[in-house]
Amino acid sequence: MEEVIADVVEEERPLLDRVPDVYDRDCPSRGVLEHVTSRWGVLVLVALRERGYRFSELRRRVSGVSEKMLAQTLQNLERDGLVLRVAHPVIPPRVDYSLTPLGQEAAEHVSALAHWVEARMCAVAEAREEYDGRPTAP
């Protein structure tokens, strides 16, 4: 009975009062993890690790991202405190994007993963070729 009461009390506590747990479907860390590790999130963080960019420059750097997806990705990362957006009051409008200290930390981690993928692409291609060459089950 006491365990049931403890579980109910735990559920009633605000999410940020709990210890973050990415395995808990209700933990807000899952959303951050999704923003940081999405295809565009990783590429934006890695690019911004190089230097600050204007929107159009960043869109060219992250080849293949649509304007809508880049804007959404930047907005999510800015809301999470990873990206700094600075709008300059000039004509035409100019907006610069850079990493916050928290974003720099996240970018270091995803950059290592992205560069590992690049470095190990030959091994991945070989594994794919081997997998694709296996006989299929009936």
Side-chain angles (χ1 to χ4, degrees):
M1 179 72 169
E2 288 180 18
E3 288 180 23
V4 172
I5 293 171
D7 288 344
V8 170
V9 170
E10 178 68 22
E11 288 176 17
E12 291 175 359
R13 290 175 52 201
L15 288 175
L16 293 179
D17 288 347
R18 299 183 201 171
V19 175
D21 178 5
V22 294
Y23 295 106
D24 178 354
R25 70 177 174 202
D26 296 324
C27 183
S29 63
R30 282 230 184 147
V32 177
L33 184 65
E34 184 178 329
H35 297 156
V36 169
T37 62
S38 70
R39 171 180 26 173
W40 304 124
V42 168
L43 295 174
V44 164
L45 288 169
V46 172
L48 288 175
R49 188 168 183 240
E50 299 168 353
R51 65 178 179 87
Y53 282 93
R54 293 172 67 178
F55 186 89
S56 57
E57 292 177 311
L58 189 55
R59 185 159 180 232
R60 283 191 297 275
R61 181 70 178 116
V62 182
S63 178
V65 66
S66 70
E67 190 170 314
K68 178 182 174 183
M69 282 307 302
L70 180 57
Q72 184 178 344
T73 299
L74 286 166
Q75 187 175 33
N76 287 334
L77 294 173
E78 181 184 7
R79 183 170 183 257
D80 291 339
L82 306 176
V83 167
L84 178 64
R85 178 184 186 273
V86 177
H88 301 279
V90 295
I91 296 176
R94 178 178 159 190
V95 179
D96 294 316
Y97 294 92
S98 60
L99 293 174
T100 65
L102 189 61
Q104 185 66 38
E105 188 179 339
E108 288 175 24
H109 292 287
V110 296
S111 179
L113 177 61
H115 294 305
W116 176 85
V117 169
E118 287 175 327
R120 301 303 291 157
M121 204 51 227
C122 289
V124 170
E126 289 173 11
R128 286 178 174 179
E129 195 172 295
E130 179 185 324
Y131 179 89
D132 292 345
R134 292 182 196 163
T136 57

